[in-house]
């Protein structure tokens, strides 16, 4: 009989060997063309996985990440869906050409956002689905049953869509990647190109997953 | 083949079963007559031991659990419309020959293509809950015989070989003729047509000649053609009224199937659906759905309708439903070489329609900026199925952080020193201004009476470090968003 695993990594290897269908590795990544983010995630948003970015306070660059992601996916000729939970997206803040591949869902309630996510994650036509829950009632979000998140995660893992959740506090349970934006960007940056601001965002890894090694392998 | 007959056997029974989910897999029968004359007119295959003409009381004694129903003209009308719609997909010259039977003039049609279309037609009707058979032959009568004999589709190429083994009752002899033929030992159509036609005429008269011609499948006639439908709608009532979704959706699907088939028969698709729920207090709930991708796919329609109905709550019970499809030509397009196409267009459009049913038609789509400088002037358009290649990078790329709007803006009180903001107070925000940039003035449509607008915009960095966008209009100050 083999010896019991001593570390979490050993345990993951053991589980992967015994249940290969359960440990499906990400099928690729969608580069965001944001240096800080791509470096943190090891190449971009992992496809078939959730990534959560927590904006600890307003003005930390969450919306700029969406704008840059629109640019990157447009250049890569991919489709993107934005589930805008609190209806905060401002199209006029983005170049017109970066909107042509976007499907914008303007939500009103927490339930709208989750229902829309459930539909879009199974669609198969999008490379990225952004679920922006900032501005929604934090209490309602935290009361969202774990089964709802599990259902969404299952839908994601059975496809190839990269899911980015933008929140103001950690809301996604057992998320493979959780990154935190803490530093506000000052008004003086208004003359700096947006791409440069995005590259210099201070991104902390709150939760990173061993899949990074699997992907590079 | 010149003619085809679309036949729904046991028409009245099928119509009843199709309209009432409770009859599925149950023994049921149709009753005719009243009082002591009430008798069974037709019985379903589950009604074991029940024969046509049996007294109702006897039938109920023989088959416990037997459901007795009268004929349902509305349900039969729906099945007739289904059959006609299916027939119109074969050719435009259609006759409603009898209950559950349509004859189609196929002259000039391509045989191979038409036969494939007949199979598609039977499958389509089966999906709509109508078991049908199609027969085709050189005359309407031959096609009718073929339809009665077919399992699914039967095309008669050799009339003599097909007719010979058919029993004599196919030619519908009178009881007297039947008796005479039995005496002669004639049991099949082949045996009758083997006898000389003139000899039959001498012994059985002109009726005998007509019988011989029917047995030979030679009887020709002119079809009484009907016009295809021009309106694509269905309306039905519930007695008693319904409270739950299941019976609503069951019948809605049935009617949607018929409307979709009629659209396809007319070479059209639906671009819009209008649903009206008629309520018990004589009010109604009306909603129109613009289909992002015009189509005649019932599953897609039902997903849109169900997604909406899931969100509807009425105080009164539903007494009836009206469904109207607005017809349009099927979309045609030519994609560019470098366009980004969809992997699964059907799923894409269906899912958009479902989303629109949940959040509203005007809240899902691709954003398009309106031709004005007015803040937040944006519309949502139907997304492009093929997205054109990206343009070159802008010569002047965007600078600074990206605006995130608060909709509606937060009303605020702004402290001013030398006409510059120094503090902001609102229900959500209370802070001093560290740095302020502005004002940026925008105005427009001042040349239109009553349409003028003007706004003063400030970007203010507050003590927390975050930068907000303030606006001042004639109604006062508000926090319009955060630069994020």
């Amino acid at each position: 009989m083999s010896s019991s695993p001593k570390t979490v990594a050993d345990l993951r290897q053991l589980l992967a060997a015994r249940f290969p269908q359960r440990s499906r590795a990400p099928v690729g990544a969608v580069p965001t063309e944001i240096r800080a983010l791509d470096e943190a995630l090891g190449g971009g948003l992992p496809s078939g996985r959730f990534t959560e970015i927590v904006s600890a306070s307003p003005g930390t660059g969450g919306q700029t990440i969406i704008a840059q992601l629109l640019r990157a996916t447009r250049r890569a000729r991919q489709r993107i869906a934005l589930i805008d939970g609190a209806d905060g997206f401002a199209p006029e803040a983005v170049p017109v050409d970066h909107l042509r591949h976007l499907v914008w869902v303007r939500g009103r309630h927490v339930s709208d956002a989750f229902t829309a996510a459930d539909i879009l994650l199974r669609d198969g036509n999008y490379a990225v689905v952004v679920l922006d829950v900032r501005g929604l009632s934090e209490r309602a979000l935290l009361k969202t049953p774990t089964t709802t998140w599990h259902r969404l995660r299952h839908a994601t893992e059975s496809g190839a869509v990269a899911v980015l959740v933008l929140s103001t506090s950690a809301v996604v349970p057992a998320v493979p990647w959780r990154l935190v934006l803490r530093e506000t960007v000052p008004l003086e940056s208004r003359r700096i190109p947006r791409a440069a601001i995005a590259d210099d965002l201070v991104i902390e890894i709150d939760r990173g997953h061993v899949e990074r090694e699997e992907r590079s392998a | 083949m010149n003619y085809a007959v679309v036949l729904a056997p046991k028409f009245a029974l099928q119509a009843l079963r199709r309209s009432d989910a409770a009859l599925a897999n149950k023994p049921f029968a149709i009753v005719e007559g009243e009082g002591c004359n009430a008798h069974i007119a037709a019985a379903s295959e589950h009604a074991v031991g029940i024969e046509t003409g049996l007294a109702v009381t006897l039938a109920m004694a023989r088959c416990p659990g037997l459901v007795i129903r009268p004929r349902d003209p509305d349900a039969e009308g729906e099945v007739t419309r289904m059959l006609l719609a299916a027939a119109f997909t074969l050719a435009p010259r259609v006759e409603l020959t009898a209950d559950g039977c349509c004859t189609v003039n196929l002259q000039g049609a391509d045989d191979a293509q038409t036969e494939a279309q007949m199979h598609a037609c039977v499958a389509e009707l089966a999906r709509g809950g109508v078991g049908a058979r199609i027969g085709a032959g050189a005359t309407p009568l031959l096609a009718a015989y073929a339809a009665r004999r077919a399992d699914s589709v039967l095309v008669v190429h050799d009339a003599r070989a097909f007719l010979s083994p058919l029993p004599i009752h196919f030619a519908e002899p009178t009881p007297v003729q039947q008796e005479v033929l039995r005496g002669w030992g004639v049991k099949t159509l082949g045996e009758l047509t083997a006898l000389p036609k003139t000899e039959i005429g001498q012994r059985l008269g002109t009726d005998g000649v007509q019988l011989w011609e029917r047995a030979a499948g030679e009887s020709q006639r002119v079809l009484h053609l009907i016009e295809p439908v021009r309106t694509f709608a269905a309306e039905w009532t519930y007695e008693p009224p319904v409270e739950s979704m299941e019976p609503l959706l069951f019948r809605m699907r049935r009617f949607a199937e018929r409307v979709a088939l009629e659209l396809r028969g007319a070479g059209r698709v639906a671009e819009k659906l209008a649903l009206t729920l008629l309520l018990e207090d004589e009010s109604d709930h009306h909603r129109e759905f613009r289909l992002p991708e015009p189509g005649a796919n019932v599953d897609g329609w039902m997903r849109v309708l169900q997604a909406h109905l899931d969100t509807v709550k009425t105080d009164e019970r539903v007494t009836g439903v009206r469904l109207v499809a607005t017809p349009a030509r099927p979309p045609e397009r030519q994609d560019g070489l470098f366009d980004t196409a969809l992997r699964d267009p059907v799923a894409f459009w269906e899912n958009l329609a479902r989303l629109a049913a949940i959040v509203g038609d005007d809240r899902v789509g691709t954003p398009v900026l309106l031709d004005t400088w007015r803040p937040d002037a944006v519309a949502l358009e139907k997304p492009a199925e093929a997205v054109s290649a990206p343009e070159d990078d802008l010569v002047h790329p965007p600078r600074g952080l990206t605006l995130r709007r608060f909709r509606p803006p937060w009303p605020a009180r702004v402290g001013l020193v030398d006409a510059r903001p120094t503090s902001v107070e609102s229900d959500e925000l209370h802070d001093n201004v560290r740095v302020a940039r502005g004002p940026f003035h925008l105005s427009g449509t001042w040349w239109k009476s009553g349409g003028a607008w003007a706004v003063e915009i400030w970007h203010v960095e507050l003590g927390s470090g975050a930068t907000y966008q303030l606006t001042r209009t004639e109604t006062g100050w508000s926090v319009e968003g955060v630069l994020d």
Side-chain angles (χ1 to χ4, degrees):
Chain A
M1 193 175 165
S2 60
S3 59
S4 55
K6 289 188 172 53
T7 64
V8 172
D10 291 343
L11 180 61
R12 284 205 176 108
Q13 274 187 352
L14 183 67
L15 289 172
R18 286 197 184 169
F19 307 104
Q21 73 282 8
R22 292 274 177 196
S23 60
R24 201 181 302 155
V27 289
V30 179
T32 63
E33 297 186 12
I34 300 169
R35 191 177 58 214
L37 194 56
D38 287 346
E39 280 178 4
L41 295 170
L45 297 173
S47 299
R49 290 288 184 272
F50 266 72
T51 303
E52 182 179 12
I53 295 182
V54 178
S55 293
S57 57
T60 49
Q63 204 66 16
T64 298
I65 287 177
I66 293 179
Q68 291 305 102
L69 193 54
L70 285 171
R71 173 176 178 260
T73 47
R74 180 78 177 107
R75 284 154 60 113
R77 301 183 180 196
Q78 294 167 321
R79 285 190 189 257
I80 182 169
L82 169 61
I83 302 165
D84 194 4
D87 196 15
F89 180 63
E92 71 271 29
V94 175
V96 172
D97 188 51
H98 296 175
L99 299 170
R100 297 191 207 283
H101 62 316
L102 167 69
V103 171
W104 180 26
V105 183
R106 307 176 70 173
R108 290 189 182 101
H109 313 290
V110 173
S111 59
D112 288 351
F114 284 106
T115 310
D118 203 6
I119 292 169
L120 290 171
L121 295 185
R122 293 165 207 279
D123 186 282
N125 287 293
Y126 301 96
V128 183
V129 171
V130 179
L131 175 57
D132 188 353
V133 295
R134 295 173 300 165
L136 290 175
S137 157
E138 205 158 306
R139 199 171 163 193
L141 283 170
L142 292 172
K143 279 168 73 176
T144 303
T146 314
T147 48
T148 303
W149 287 109
H150 176 75
R151 180 181 159 81
L152 294 180
R153 199 170 57 201
H154 184 74
T156 309
E157 288 176 359
S158 58
V161 62
V163 184
L164 174 63
V165 180
L166 288 158
S167 59
T168 50
S169 62
V171 292
V172 189
V175 66
W177 287 96
R178 181 177 297 127
L179 311 174
V180 182
L181 301 168
R182 288 194 201 282
E183 290 197 13
T184 50
V185 181
L187 177 57
E188 292 313 313
S189 68
R190 72 188 193 285
R191 295 188 190 284
I192 302 171
R194 189 174 291 163
I197 294 176
D199 282 345
D200 292 339
L201 287 176
V202 180
I203 298 177
E204 287 177 21
I205 300 177
D206 181 56
R207 185 186 167 96
H209 206 275
V210 73
E211 282 179 340
R212 186 177 186 176
E213 294 159 25
E214 289 170 14
R215 197 161 6 134
S216 59
Chain B
M1 53 184 170
N2 292 332
Y3 295 91
V5 166
V6 186
L7 179 70
K10 297 186 177 175
F11 170 70
L13 286 172
Q14 284 209 55
L16 260 183
R17 182 165 29 211
R18 186 175 176 274
S19 69
D20 190 348
L23 294 178
N25 302 319
K26 275 191 180 168
F28 70 99
I30 291 177
V31 66
E32 276 181 359
E34 287 182 4
C36 58
N37 292 325
H39 63 275
I40 301 297
S44 71
E45 64 273 26
H46 294 99
V48 180
I50 308 299
E51 292 158 5
T52 306
L54 204 62
V56 171
T57 46
L58 196 55
M60 293 179 78
R62 275 194 192 177
C63 182
L66 181 71
V67 180
I68 301 289
R69 291 281 172 86
R71 287 180 70 158
D72 183 343
D74 291 343
E76 289 178 17
E78 274 300 307
V79 174
T80 300
R81 290 187 71 169
M82 284 283 286
L83 288 176
L84 286 173
F88 274 111
T89 64
L90 300 176
R93 288 165 301 204
V94 175
E95 174 196 72
L96 180 59
T97 311
D99 283 348
C101 180
C102 308
T103 306
V104 189
N105 186 337
L106 297 175
Q107 285 167 341
D110 177 74
D111 283 3
Q113 205 175 354
T114 306
E115 193 170 340
Q117 185 58 37
M118 286 178 196
H119 285 281
C121 205
V122 170
E124 184 82 53
L125 286 168
R127 275 195 294 276
V130 179
R133 306 167 185 168
I134 299 181
T139 65
L141 190 63
L142 202 54
Y145 290 163
R148 287 167 67 185
R149 199 68 172 168
D151 291 325
S152 166
V153 173
L154 178 61
V155 178
V156 177
H157 297 290
D158 183 347
R160 185 181 290 267
F162 168 71
L163 290 168
S164 288
L166 292 185
I168 196 72
H169 68 77
F170 265 67
E172 297 175 359
T174 62
V176 175
Q177 288 172 335
Q178 212 161 5
E179 197 59 37
V180 172
L181 293 173
R182 191 179 298 123
W184 294 350
V186 173
K187 293 175 185 163
T188 64
L189 301 186
E191 287 167 356
L192 178 61
T193 52
L195 301 172
K197 185 176 172 182
T198 49
E199 297 288 322
I200 293 289
Q202 284 169 7
R203 285 163 180 77
L204 299 178
T206 50
D207 288 350
V209 172
Q210 286 170 359
L211 175 68
W212 191 94
E213 285 175 348
R214 288 202 298 273
E218 288 179 355
S219 177
Q220 285 283 7
R221 64 186 178 85
V222 177
L223 300 188
H224 300 285
L225 302 183
I226 57 167
E227 285 285 310
V229 291
R230 304 279 179 217
T231 54
F232 304 94
E235 184 169 349
W236 62 101
T237 54
Y238 290 97
E239 184 57 45
V242 295
E243 293 176 328
S244 60
M245 284 272 281
E246 278 167 27
L248 200 65
L249 290 173
F250 177 79
R251 293 193 76 179
M252 191 177 290
R253 171 173 278 279
R254 290 299 189 219
F255 285 95
E257 278 160 351
R258 191 260 295 164
V259 172
L261 196 56
E262 285 178 342
L263 278 167
R264 282 197 290 273
R268 294 284 187 274
V269 293
E271 64 176 358
K272 205 162 66 175
L273 294 176
L275 174 72
T276 309
L277 301 180
L278 308 170
L279 305 177
E280 215 169 5
D281 62 354
E282 299 190 347
S283 64
D284 62 33
H285 168 89
H286 181 80
R287 175 76 194 266
E288 291 196 353
F289 306 92
R290 181 174 50 86
L291 297 173
E293 173 73 342
N297 180 311
V298 176
D299 290 336
W301 292 6
M302 289 306 294
R303 276 195 279 273
V304 173
L305 295 171
Q306 189 170 353
H308 172 67
L309 287 173
D310 281 339
T311 64
V312 173
K313 284 189 174 59
T314 59
D315 295 331
E316 300 291 331
R317 292 187 296 175
V318 177
T319 57
V321 178
R322 191 183 305 132
L323 181 67
V324 181
T326 306
R329 288 187 180 281
E332 293 173 7
R333 25 171 191 273
Q334 172 70 53
D335 294 344
L337 186 60
F338 299 105
D339 291 355
T340 308
L342 292 166
R343 287 183 200 158
D344 184 351
V346 175
F348 184 76
W349 297 118
E350 280 184 12
N351 287 333
L352 282 179
R354 291 171 67 193
L355 288 170
I358 294 164
V359 297
D361 278 341
D362 57 338
R363 297 185 71 83
V364 59
T366 295
V368 179
L369 303 183
L370 301 180
D371 187 17
T372 171
W373 288 106
R374 190 167 195 155
D376 206 17
V378 63
L380 281 172
E381 282 191 350
K382 175 185 161 185
E385 181 156 325
V387 179
S388 58
E391 294 170 3
D392 293 336
D393 280 341
L394 297 172
V395 177
H396 302 290
R399 292 170 185 272
L401 285 171
T402 314
L403 175 66
R404 174 174 168 73
R405 285 193 173 278
F406 303 139
R407 293 189 178 97
W410 302 342
R413 290 177 299 282
V414 175
L416 299 172
V417 172
D418 295 335
R420 298 181 71 80
T422 54
S423 66
V424 180
E425 271 187 58
S426 73
D427 292 345
E428 296 81 3
L429 204 62
H430 184 139
D431 210 341
N432 289 322
V433 174
R434 210 153 59 186
V435 186
R437 300 282 173 204
F440 311 108
H441 291 284
L442 292 173
S443 63
T445 54
W446 41 264
W447 55 91
K448 284 185 186 171
S449 166
W453 60 270
V455 61
E456 177 184 323
I457 297 174
W458 286 84
H459 288 164
V460 294
E461 185 182 301
L462 301 186
S464 64
T467 303
Y468 290 84
Q469 180 164 305
L470 306 181
T471 56
R472 180 158 67 174
T473 62
E474 58 186 13
T475 58
W477 286 92
S478 58
V479 184
E480 202 170 31
V482 61
L483 298 185
D484 186 40

